[in-house]
């Protein structure tokens, strides 16, 4: 991995880790689906406007079906399933399930992109999941049908992300990262739109909430997906998906800096595991 790719990976993790701070304020007011819809719609419109200003071709007619598929599996379906899971199990469990995304990405890459699935890569992926488990505090949960469905929903989200990574890699042959970022957000907005009347806004919409929603969309979706799709194009989906190991690390760091949350030795051990896992997956000999 080039140093520029590593910088993009760390920047992306820092941005997506900060998204939790925004959503702690926004989601209780707007609800999960409205938060997701505003996030992808504003980001998609901003990116589309930027493409118009810079004269970049958008090729909607030729690729609209591919863009809808990308939006559905990369944003709309995972957002909806994680929103369901959040209602029935602690966030720590969702973080661990999310950390299995690179494992699924490696499987999909081996199946569809002929990527090597080495023991070194497998060890790195498993160490990453363990590191995330140490980063988050997991309390006891009562086994129930709702918990099982929540776990299945999280698993479905990780598979969606892995499939989206493979699909993006295939699509990147003919579509540049800027257009893919734009299309994924607008495609997700169209997919989520019919479900919005079923879920009313839950609280009072203030200027602060809307400002944070715009910041979430522009920074954590528009800018972040530009970095993400460029990473997939340059280093492949498996390595790009290791960002899910690093996101909890940065989320804890921002929480400690801005919210005064405490860090523990188990979190430090988890950070070490996450860094080791990322190194095992993204380094190593070239094919």
């Amino acid at each position: 991995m080039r140093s520029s790719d590593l910088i993009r990976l760390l920047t992306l993790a820092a941005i997506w880790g900060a998204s939790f701070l925004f959503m702690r304020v926004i989601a209780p007011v707007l609800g999960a689906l409205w938060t997701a819809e505003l996030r992808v719609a504003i980001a998609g419109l901003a990116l589309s406007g930027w493409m118009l200003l810079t004269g970049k071709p958008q090729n909607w007619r030729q690729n609209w079906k591919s863009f809808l598929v990308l939006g559905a599996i990369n944003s709309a379906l995972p957002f909806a399933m994680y929103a369901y899971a959040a209602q029935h199990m602690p966030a720590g469990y969702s973080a661990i399930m999310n950390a299995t995304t690179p494992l699924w990405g490696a499987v999909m890459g081996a199946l569809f992109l002929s990527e090597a699935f080495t023991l070194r890569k497998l060890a790195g992926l498993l160490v990453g999941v363990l590191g995330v488990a140490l980063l988050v505090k997991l309390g006891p949960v009562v086994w129930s049908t709702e918990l099982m469905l929540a776990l299945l929903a999280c698993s479905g989200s990780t598979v969606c992300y892995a499939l989206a990574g493979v699909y993006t890699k295939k699509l990147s042959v003919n579509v540049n990262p800027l257009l893919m970022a734009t299309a994924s957000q607008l495609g997700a907005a169209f997919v989520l739109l019919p479900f919005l009347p079923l879920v009313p806004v839950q609280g009072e919409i203030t200027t602060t909430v809307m400002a944070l929603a715009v910041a979430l969309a522009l920074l954590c979706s528009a800018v972040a997906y530009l970095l993400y799709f460029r990473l997939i194009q340059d280093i492949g989906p498996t390595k790009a998906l290791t960002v899910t190991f690093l996101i909890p690390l940065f989320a804890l760091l921002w929480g400690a800096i801005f919210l005064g949350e405490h860090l523990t030795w188990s979190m430090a051990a988890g950070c070490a595991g996450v860094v080791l896992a990322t190194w095992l997956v993204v380094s190593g000999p070239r094919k």
Side-chain angles (χ1 to χ4, degrees):
M1 178 182 285
R2 299 171 302 179
S3 58
S4 58
D5 295 325
L6 183 59
I7 291 171
R8 289 191 189 98
L9 185 70
L10 293 173
T11 303
L12 179 60
I15 290 173
W16 273 341
S19 67
F20 290 99
L21 300 179
F22 293 123
M23 288 191 288
R24 285 184 189 181
V25 178
I26 301 167
V29 177
L30 299 180
L33 286 183
W34 275 99
T35 300
E37 175 66 15
L38 284 177
R39 178 177 179 176
V40 295
I42 294 172
L45 290 173
L47 288 169
S48 184
W50 175 251
M51 293 190 73
L52 288 172
L53 287 174
T54 54
K56 302 290 185 182
Q58 301 198 30
N59 302 325
W60 292 106
R61 288 186 178 181
Q62 299 94 319
N63 299 297
W64 69 271
K65 291 181 181 178
S66 299
F67 293 162
L68 279 179
V69 171
L70 181 61
I73 62 176
N74 188 70
S75 297
L77 287 175
F79 282 172
M81 287 189 282
Y82 272 124
Y84 172 80
Q87 301 175 50
H88 300 287
M89 71 179 187
Y93 288 84
S94 296
I96 288 182
M97 297 299 292
N98 191 48
T100 64
T101 301
L103 182 58
W104 286 109
V107 171
M108 298 301 175
L111 288 175
F112 298 110
L113 299 176
S114 301
E115 291 185 350
F117 192 77
T118 62
L119 287 176
R120 176 194 179 97
K121 187 178 290 186
L122 177 61
L125 296 169
L126 295 178
V127 169
V129 175
L130 178 60
V132 172
L134 289 172
L135 276 175
V136 298
K137 291 183 177 180
L138 300 180
V141 296
V142 178
W143 185 260
S144 64
T145 303
E146 288 79 10
L147 177 63
M148 182 182 69
L149 291 174
L151 291 171
L152 288 174
C154 286
S155 297
S157 298
T158 60
V159 173
C160 280
Y161 284 138
L163 286 172
V166 171
Y167 193 74
T168 298
K169 184 64 176 178
K170 296 280 189 180
L171 197 61
S172 66
V173 176
N174 299 313
V175 181
N176 64 70
L178 175 57
L179 180 54
M180 279 191 292
T182 306
S184 71
Q185 299 306 285
L186 290 179
F190 278 111
V191 172
L192 290 170
L193 191 60
F195 301 98
L196 295 180
L198 305 177
V199 281
V201 173
Q202 299 176 4
E204 181 184 357
I205 301 176
T206 63
T207 304
T208 301
V209 169
M210 288 308 301
L212 290 177
V214 172
L216 178 69
L218 297 181
L219 179 63
C220 302
S221 282
V223 174
Y225 274 111
L226 281 175
L227 294 170
Y228 178 62
F229 288 126
R230 176 64 185 273
L231 279 171
I232 289 179
Q233 187 179 57
D234 290 347
I235 65 176
T238 302
K239 291 181 179 180
L241 286 170
T242 56
V243 70
T244 57
F245 292 156
L246 299 168
I247 289 171
L249 188 156
F250 280 98
L252 291 172
L253 177 63
W254 300 143
I257 293 174
F258 295 107
L259 301 179
E261 296 177 349
H262 297 291
L263 300 179
T264 65
W265 285 110
S266 66
M267 292 178 185
C271 290
V274 164
V275 172
L276 173 62
T278 306
W279 176 76
L280 285 171
V281 176
V282 303
S283 66
R286 293 179 180 271
K287 287 177 56 178

